Amino acid sequence: MRSLYDKSENVNNSILVVKDEDGNIFGGYASEAWKPKFTFYGTGECFLFTYFKENRIHTFSSSGQNEHYMYGDNDQICMGCSDDYFSLSLRNNLLDGYSKETKTYNNESLNRKDKFTIVKLEIWTFEGN
């Protein structure tokens, strides 16, 4: 986790992509740099996506119901939160995580079975003008 934070320091605008053991692809757009802030951050520009249903990309934008867009601490990085669950949570070993429905993005579980093992993880960053 420390390496992820170090490499994404001061890098706003990134896309987190996860491929799980079942071949599901999902993730989210982060409007701010990933950091261990121990509180929610990010903006309403953040969103989640999946690519496993009907071979189409499904996106989940901010619902406006809360501002729990991004979260980071020493144990996990997460996106979206309500009712003590995260829309997307990656554990500090970056080998496993879970996804649940939340009010932040009005999303369904991003994979087919909530908990998952990470086969591949990429973070793509870019700069805008």
Side-chain angles (χ1 to χ4, degrees):
M1 188 63 67
R2 183 78 251 150
S3 178
L4 183 145
Y5 288 137
D6 289 345
K7 290 183 180 189
S8 65
E9 185 177 12
N10 300 319
V11 178
N12 295 328
N13 304 310
S14 65
I15 296 178
L16 171 74
V17 182
V18 174
K19 183 176 183 180
D20 72 10
E21 74 277 16
D22 295 325
N24 299 314
I25 298 171
F26 49 92
Y29 166 74
S31 63
E32 294 186 20
W34 288 105
K35 54 191 166 261
K37 196 169 180 180
F38 302 91
T39 187
F40 292 98
Y41 54 99
T43 68
E45 295 173 322
C46 294
F47 65 86
L48 301 172
F49 68 89
T50 63
Y51 180 75
F52 67 87
K53 294 183 177 179
E54 303 92 37
N55 291 323
R56 295 179 54 204
I57 295 175
H58 296 266
T59 60
F60 303 95
S61 300
S62 167
S63 68
Q65 293 187 51
N66 64 38
E67 296 182 350
H68 300 162
Y69 306 116
M70 300 170 63
Y71 178 85
D73 62 26
N74 295 327
D75 295 324
Q76 60 192 341
I77 60 170
C78 308
M79 295 186 77
C81 183
S82 63
D83 302 321
D84 295 326
Y85 290 107
F86 294 104
S87 298
L88 177 60
S89 175
L90 306 181
R91 302 290 301 153
N92 65 355
N93 60 12
L94 299 179
L95 297 174
D96 58 88
Y98 75 86
S99 175
K100 294 277 192 178
E101 299 174 7
T102 71
K103 293 177 183 174
T104 307
Y105 297 106
N106 280 336
N107 62 288
E108 57 192 51
S109 176
L110 299 180
N111 69 341
R112 298 178 199 264
K113 57 184 180 184
D114 297 345
K115 293 183 180 181
F116 55 86
T117 300
I118 298 170
V119 173
K120 190 169 190 175
L121 171 67
E122 295 183 10
I123 298 180
W124 300 339
T125 62
F126 52 94
E127 292 184 29
N129 291 346

